[in-house]
Amino acid sequence: MKVAVYPGSFDPTTNGHLDIINRASRLCDKLIVGVLDNKSKVPLFTVEERVAQLKEITKDFANVEIKAFSGLLVDFARANNSNIVIRGLRGVTDFSYEFQMALTNRALDSDLETLFISADTQYLFFSSSQVKEIASFGGDIANMVPEIINEQLFCLIFCSGNRFRFRGLSGK
Ligand code: ADP
């Protein structure tokens, strides 16, 4: 069985991520989306929230599983019997970072192959940070993110208890 892992922060998931998940899920028997629990970064959504969001967003994909992980990607891939890492490429700006990561991961595990997939052109300019920035100013992100993300970001901005939290994290 061909198992691939698609790791990322997904803070939050955009339609670009979803397009990559859709394309990658057609290339393997099982796709495991690895949601990074990075202790050195303060995410907008907790890892539990991001996992729950992705589970909901991908509920119609029969061969997609969502898991949180921390530590080395090579260990996560190995623990899931996978030697295929999926990463998305938006353009040349992503390339040098992604290329370096792929080579580093291969140095740690020579069996690991990184496959780059580009999203449909309509999604290529979306990033999680842009989405958060636009949402923080009340901009319309409905075409950039799945419905559930739009709702939850809106709630973070406008529900009074969460307002401070969102502002603090967006640096304003
Ligand atoms: P990371 O912090 O690991 O970069 P992200 O959640 O930002 O996590 O991205 C995960 C992966 O998805 C990366 O390979 C990134 O290049 C890719 N990606 C993010 N947004 C898009 C998009 N709009 N189109 C294609 N790939 C994307």
Side-chain angles (χ1 to χ4, degrees), residues 6-10 16-17 20 87-90 94 98 119 123 126:
Y6 176 32
S9 308
F10 305 100
H17 291 126
I20 300 291
R87 292 288 287 176
L89 273 187
R90 281 163 290 198
D94 277 345
E98 293 292 343
Y123 305 123
F126 299 171

Side-chain angles (χ1 to χ4, degrees), residues 41-83:
K41 271 193 195 169
V42 183
L44 179 59
F45 291 104
T46 66
V47 69
E48 292 81 13
E49 286 168 337
R50 284 176 278 145
V51 165
Q53 289 163 348
L54 270 159
K55 282 188 174 167
E56 173 63 24
I57 291 163
T58 61
K59 63 176 191 275
D60 294 331
F61 292 87
N63 66 339
V64 174
E65 233 180 83
I66 315 296
K67 290 184 181 180
F69 82 102
S70 56
L72 292 177
L73 174 60
V74 286
D75 292 334
F76 179 65
R78 243 186 244 130
N80 286 286
N81 301 312
S82 171
N83 67 341

Side-chain angles (χ1 to χ4, degrees), residues 39 42 125 162:
K39 305 285 183 214
V42 183
F125 62 95
N162 289 323

Side-chain angles (χ1 to χ4, degrees), residues 2-62:
K2 259 196 186 83
V3 181
V5 296
Y6 176 32
S9 308
F10 305 100
D11 186 38
T13 301
T14 67
N15 286 339
H17 291 126
L18 186 55
D19 191 59
I20 300 291
I21 291 171
N22 183 23
R23 288 167 194 281
S25 69
R26 290 189 248 134
L27 300 176
C28 55
D29 300 306
K30 184 161 148 187
L31 177 70
I32 299 175
V33 180
V35 182
L36 185 62
D37 186 9
N38 186 347
K39 305 285 183 214
S40 64
K41 271 193 195 169
V42 183
L44 179 59
F45 291 104
T46 66
V47 69
E48 292 81 13
E49 286 168 337
R50 284 176 278 145
V51 165
Q53 289 163 348
L54 270 159
K55 282 188 174 167
E56 173 63 24
I57 291 163
T58 61
K59 63 176 191 275
D60 294 331
F61 292 87

Side-chain angles (χ1 to χ4, degrees), residues 6-8 17 73 85-106 114-117:
Y6 176 32
H17 291 126
L73 174 60
V85 173
I86 303 289
R87 292 288 287 176
L89 273 187
R90 281 163 290 198
V92 286
T93 44
D94 277 345
F95 182 75
S96 53
Y97 172 76
E98 293 292 343
F99 189 51
Q100 192 186 7
M101 283 292 296
L103 293 181
T104 304
N105 284 325
R106 189 185 278 166
T114 301
L115 301 187
F116 297 110
I117 298 181

